[in-house]
């Protein structure tokens, strides 16, 4: 069974040339859209196919298609192509022609050479959207519509009459009815009593705001004048003034608590100038946590635990040793303890 045509058709979707080893190469050619004047048919752009018998060198494109399609090795795919090419040649020698579906027909002439006739519809090309041809008759040049001479004056007279009627109707509307809408509307009036009451209320409110009312006692000679009670403002101000000292006291208490909770440099050690080796229990922790962990270790009996602070780095270390071997010996002895399970040895520079 010859399966070459299926692989060639699929490969030509994204390639312009597909070579069949020891047979020939199929090459595509672009054909622009055209118009057949005799048949009045527009033909869309397409890709046609050609064949070159001289292209027989294996470029591995067809072999790779067989490998991906059948999941076989390269030698097996090449052997499968050779078998199909041999079968194709045998078919051409006996029947002199072979038709590739949707590609074209190849023939063997008397001189022993191959002649290829491509498919008239061209090969499948997604980029050309599969457009089809269509027929459209040519428009006649110099074509002008004929007008009946007898009916033309009648049409013109009718148009003039309609224009005059429209003009007269518009003139009548604007001349006679321009003031009708205003006459038909009822005027909006305000009763004098309402105006008088509103004016009296405004005058009374203005007099109440501008002139203070005098309040007097019948028995005493003093006259009390109404004024704004400023006692409310003084009470508010005094209340705010009395409330501020507790805030300052709270801030002072917080500062004292912060001072009591801060850890001074006495709880940690600075690296000495003489380099030494040590066992690191934990690293990249805050000074507070490191100090608490050191105190816990002291309570457990590990009195050599100290806090090492160098720059921004804070570590909890155990012991100081002159050599690295001494530090590892101590670490191996203490490895069974849970506190020294994830420890490591580090050299501290002076």
């Amino acid at each position: 069974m010859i399966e070459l045509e299926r692989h060639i058709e699929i490969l030509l979707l994204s390639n312009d040339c597909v070579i069949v080893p020891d047979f020939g190469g199929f090459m595509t050619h672009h054909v622009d859209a055209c118009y057949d004047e005799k048949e009045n048919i527009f033909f869309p752009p397409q890709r046609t196919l050609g064949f070159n018998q001289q292209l027989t060198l294996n470029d591995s494109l067809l072999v790779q298609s067989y490998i991906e399609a059948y999941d076989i090795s390269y030698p097996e795919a090449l052997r499968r192509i050779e078998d199909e090419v041999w079968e194709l040649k045998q078919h051409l020698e006996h029947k002199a022609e072979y038709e590739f579906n949707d590609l074209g027909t190849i023939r063997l002439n008397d001189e022993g050479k191959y002649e290829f006739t491509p498919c008239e519809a061209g090969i499948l090309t997604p980029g050309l959207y599969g457009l089809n041809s269509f027929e459209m008759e040519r428009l006649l040049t110099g074509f002008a519509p004929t007008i009946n001479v007898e009916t033309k004056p009648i049409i013109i007279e009718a148009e003039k009459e309609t224009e005059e009627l429209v003009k007269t109707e518009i003139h009548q509307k604007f001349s006679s009815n321009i003031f009708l809408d205003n006459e038909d509307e009822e005027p909006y009036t305000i009763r004098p009593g309402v105006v008088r009451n509103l004016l009296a209320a405004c005058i009374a409110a203005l007099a109440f705001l501008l002139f203070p009312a005098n309040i007097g006692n019948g028995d005493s000679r003093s006259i009390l004048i109404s004024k704004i009670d400023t006692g409310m403002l003084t009470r508010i101000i005094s209340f705010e003034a009395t409330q501020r000292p507790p805030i300052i006291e709270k801030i002072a208490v917080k500062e004292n608590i912060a001072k009591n909770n801060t850890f001074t440099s006495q709880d940690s050690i600075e690296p000495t100038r003489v380099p030494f080796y040590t066992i690191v229990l934990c690293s990249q922790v805050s000074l507070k946590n490191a100090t608490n962990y050191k105190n816990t270790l002291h309570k457990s009996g590990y009195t050599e635990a100290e806090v090492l602070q160098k720059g921004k780095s804070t570590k909890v270390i155990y012991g100081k040793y002159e050599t690295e071997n001494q530090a590892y010996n101590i670490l191996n002895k203490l490895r069974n303890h849970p506190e020294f399970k994830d420890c490591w040895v580090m050299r501290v520079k002076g």
Side-chain angles (χ1 to χ4, degrees), residues 71 217 272 304 349:
D71 193 16
N217 273 335
T272 59
E304 296 184 16
K349 298 180 181 181

Side-chain angles (χ1 to χ4, degrees), residues 27-69:
M27 299 176 297
T28 62
H29 304 279
H30 181 78
V31 179
D32 296 331
C34 60
Y35 174 70
D36 189 354
E37 296 181 357
K38 294 182 180 180
E39 301 293 336
N40 296 327
I41 297 176
F42 285 92
F43 292 97
Q46 61 180 355
R47 282 201 312 166
T48 185
L49 191 61
F51 179 77
N52 189 350
Q53 191 175 352
Q54 303 298 325
L55 299 177
T56 58
L57 183 64
N58 182 18
D59 61 351
S60 300
L61 182 63
L62 185 60
V63 179
Q64 189 66 29
S65 177
Y66 271 75
I67 293 173
E68 294 177 358

Side-chain angles (χ1 to χ4, degrees), residues 40-280:
N40 296 327
I41 297 176
F42 285 92
F43 292 97
Q46 61 180 355
R47 282 201 312 166
T48 185
L49 191 61
F51 179 77
N52 189 350
Q53 191 175 352
Q54 303 298 325
L55 299 177
T56 58
L57 183 64
N58 182 18
D59 61 351
S60 300
L61 182 63
L62 185 60
V63 179
Q64 189 66 29
S65 177
Y66 271 75
I67 293 173
E68 294 177 358
Y70 306 111
D71 193 16
I72 56 179
S73 63
Y74 187 91
E76 187 176 356
L78 186 60
R79 182 181 54 81
R80 193 165 183 173
I81 294 173
E82 291 176 353
D83 294 341
E84 292 188 8
V85 169
W86 180 84
E87 184 180 355
L88 177 60
K89 288 181 178 181
Q90 292 295 322
H91 183 86
L92 290 173
E93 288 180 359
H94 288 83
K95 297 186 178 181
E97 70 175 12
Y98 181 82
E99 182 180 0
F100 292 95
N101 293 330
D102 299 328
L103 296 178
T105 304
I106 191 166
R107 295 179 178 85
L108 181 65
N109 58 17
D110 297 336
E111 299 177 357
K113 296 182 180 181
Y114 299 127
E115 295 178 355
F116 180 75
T117 304
C119 182
E120 294 182 358
I123 61 174
L124 181 62
T125 305
L128 299 180
Y129 305 104
L131 300 176
N132 197 4
S133 60
F134 67 95
E135 183 179 357
M136 181 177 180
E137 296 182 359
R138 183 188 294 272
L139 297 176
L140 298 177
T141 58
F143 174 77
T146 59
I147 301 176
N148 191 355
V149 180
E150 296 179 356
T151 58
K152 184 176 179 180
I154 300 174
I155 296 172
I156 295 173
E157 291 179 359
E159 292 178 354
K160 289 183 179 180
E161 291 179 358
T162 54
E163 289 180 359
E164 291 178 357
L165 290 174
V166 171
K167 288 181 181 179
T168 53
E169 289 180 0
I170 294 172
H171 178 71
Q172 291 176 0
K173 287 182 180 180
F174 277 94
S175 60
S176 59
N177 298 332
I178 189 168
F179 297 108
L180 289 179
D181 295 337
N182 295 333
E183 292 176 357
D184 293 338
E185 292 181 356
E186 295 181 357
Y188 182 76
T189 57
I190 301 175
R191 290 180 295 177
V194 176
V195 177
R196 184 172 59 253
N197 294 334
L198 290 174
L199 184 60
C202 293
I203 294 173
L206 185 63
F208 178 77
L209 294 175
L210 296 179
F211 303 100
N214 295 331
I215 304 172
N217 273 335
D219 297 335
S220 61
R221 297 179 181 179
S222 61
I223 298 174
L224 300 178
I225 301 174
S226 64
K227 58 183 178 179
I228 298 173
D229 187 8
T230 58
M232 181 65 69
L233 297 176
T234 56
R235 287 194 295 271
I236 293 172
I237 295 172
S238 62
F239 177 75
E240 291 182 353
T242 55
Q243 290 296 322
R244 288 187 180 180
I247 297 174
I248 299 173
E249 291 178 0
K250 290 181 180 179
I251 295 172
V253 170
K254 289 183 179 179
E255 290 179 353
N256 294 330
I257 294 171
K259 290 180 180 180
N260 294 329
N261 292 334
T262 54
F263 295 90
T264 61
S265 59
Q266 295 177 359
D267 296 329
S268 62
I269 62 170
E270 294 292 336
T272 59
R273 295 182 179 180
V274 179
F276 61 91
Y277 291 89
T278 184
I279 300 173
V280 181

